[in-house]
Amino acid sequence: MELLIWLLAAYGMSQILVYGSIFDTPREWITKKSKFFGDLLGCMMCTSTWVGFFFSLVLWSPTLQFDLCIPYSNVFFDGMLASGGVWAINAVVEWFEQNRPEKED
């Protein structure tokens, strides 16, 4: 259950950073200053990777329970987990947006 909440929170934060109108001005400023960071903020998978890193360091690490040989490698795997999970959630949401029934007049 914690993993699902973590993934939904990562999806929500990524959604806000990539598409949220509240971040339009900072996104435009960043895009003008740096193509790399502008592209990063325009990509759901890229942004969610960094959100996963952030959540791992600040909130909770879903992969910390695994005995990994390299210290702090869980942060890397949390970023990958967030990227994949957010991509899957976003794909489902986009599918429903594209396949919603037409309203009849």
Side-chain angles (χ1 to χ4, degrees):
M1 189 63 173
E2 291 90 2
L3 176 61
L4 179 61
I5 293 169
W6 191 87
L7 284 172
L8 289 173
Y11 172 75
M13 176 162 294
S14 299
Q15 183 79 11
I16 289 168
L17 290 171
V18 173
Y19 301 117
S21 61
I22 194 167
F23 285 106
D24 281 345
T25 304
R27 251 194 324 270
E28 290 172 11
W29 183 83
I30 290 169
T31 302
K32 287 178 185 175
K33 296 291 183 185
S34 168
K35 180 171 173 24
F36 173 79
F37 289 109
D39 290 345
L40 186 135
L41 283 175
C43 169
M44 195 65 153
M45 285 184 75
C46 305
T47 302
S48 62
T49 301
W50 289 95
V51 167
F53 295 156
F54 175 76
F55 277 14
S56 180
L57 293 169
V58 174
L59 297 176
W60 173 68
S61 170
T63 61
L64 190 60
Q65 64 189 357
F66 302 113
D67 188 23
L68 304 171
C69 299
I70 305 167
Y72 298 104
S73 61
N74 63 299
V75 175
F76 172 78
F77 288 109
D78 289 341
M80 301 306 104
L81 176 66
S83 180
V86 166
W87 173 82
I89 295 168
N90 193 54
V92 170
V93 168
E94 285 182 350
W95 186 88
F96 278 107
E97 286 176 352
Q98 293 172 355
N99 294 294
R100 76 174 63 155
E102 297 291 326
K103 287 186 176 181
E104 294 182 25
D105 293 327

